[in-house]
Amino acid sequence: MATGAEPVPEQPEVRTYSSAILDFALAAAATDVWTITGAAGVVVRVLRMGFSGESTAGTLQDIQLVKRSTGNIAGTATATAIIPHDPNDGAGAATVRAYTANPGTLGTILGPIRAWKVLTPTAAPPSAGGGLIEGQIDYAVLAKAPILRGTGHVLAVSFNGAVSAGTRLAAWVEWTEATF
């Protein structure tokens, strides 16, 4: 006889983390603006990544998600908080950064994984006076998400050296970690 309370199925025991930042200003001629970098001895599987933002000037912007085989050097970046989805997962090992000044030297590019042409119209949203940009990638439904193995592997949202005036972003990323 049913009790009316169905058991909750267990989720796989995979350490899962998220990181996000709200409202950071991009550098003029922005390159990598939002990155997740792998960690030594850890397999980082990027499940989802996304960004949204606005600009004070209307233009067509080229944005790519690129994979790098070496890390970026220098630049002004904020390391964002790594939040475990389960408190028993402990601290995350990957590093997530939001760049407000371009890296001095970009890491070696393996190539783009995704690309967008995003129009930021001049029509003002209620909050600021520009257009909205948005992009999202969901690898959780694919056979294989991008993998970062070690501190040299980086996944970056890049504006390819050109950005519309007054662009500000919010960004987020979700990933899993396993020790190898």
Side-chain angles (χ1 to χ4, degrees), residues 17 43 81 84 121 142 147-148:
Y17 303 89
V43 174
L142 299 178
I147 304 287
L148 307 174

Side-chain angles (χ1 to χ4, degrees), residues 49-116:
M49 246 179 139
F51 60 88
S52 63
E54 59 190 14
S55 168
T56 57
T59 188
L60 189 63
Q61 299 192 86
D62 294 330
I63 304 170
Q64 292 185 351
L65 180 65
V66 298
K67 192 166 184 185
R68 299 190 182 283
S69 61
T70 59
N72 295 331
I73 299 171
T76 301
T78 299
T80 59
I82 308 300
I83 309 301
H85 287 207
D86 179 341
N88 290 335
D89 288 347
T95 305
V96 180
R97 291 184 178 94
Y99 283 89
T100 55
N102 287 330
T105 303
L106 293 171
T108 304
I109 190 167
L110 293 172
I113 293 177
R114 293 285 185 271
W116 299 268

Side-chain angles (χ1 to χ4, degrees), residues 5-170:
E6 296 298 320
V8 176
E10 289 291 321
Q11 291 187 345
E13 291 300 318
V14 178
R15 296 183 322 233
T16 307
Y17 303 89
S18 288
S19 187
I21 190 167
L22 182 63
D23 199 30
F24 69 98
L26 304 189
T31 55
D32 289 3
V33 298
W34 176 245
T35 64
I36 179 168
T37 303
V42 175
V43 174
V44 174
R45 184 179 315 268
V46 179
L47 302 177
R48 295 173 187 87
M49 246 179 139
F51 60 88
S52 63
E54 59 190 14
S55 168
T56 57
T59 188
L60 189 63
Q61 299 192 86
D62 294 330
I63 304 170
Q64 292 185 351
L65 180 65
V66 298
K67 192 166 184 185
R68 299 190 182 283
S69 61
T70 59
N72 295 331
I73 299 171
T76 301
T78 299
T80 59
I82 308 300
I83 309 301
H85 287 207
D86 179 341
N88 290 335
D89 288 347
T95 305
V96 180
R97 291 184 178 94
Y99 283 89
T100 55
N102 287 330
T105 303
L106 293 171
T108 304
I109 190 167
L110 293 172
I113 293 177
R114 293 285 185 271
W116 299 268
K117 282 204 172 282
V118 180
L119 178 62
T120 55
T122 56
S127 64
L132 181 67
I133 59 176
E134 186 171 16
Q136 181 171 317
I137 308 102
D138 187 348
Y139 289 108
V141 297
L142 299 178
K144 193 162 196 172
I147 304 287
L148 307 174
R149 296 180 189 267
T151 58
H153 291 172
V154 178
L155 203 56
V157 173
S158 176
F159 276 70
N160 301 304
V163 68
S164 184
T167 299
R168 301 184 70 80
L169 288 184

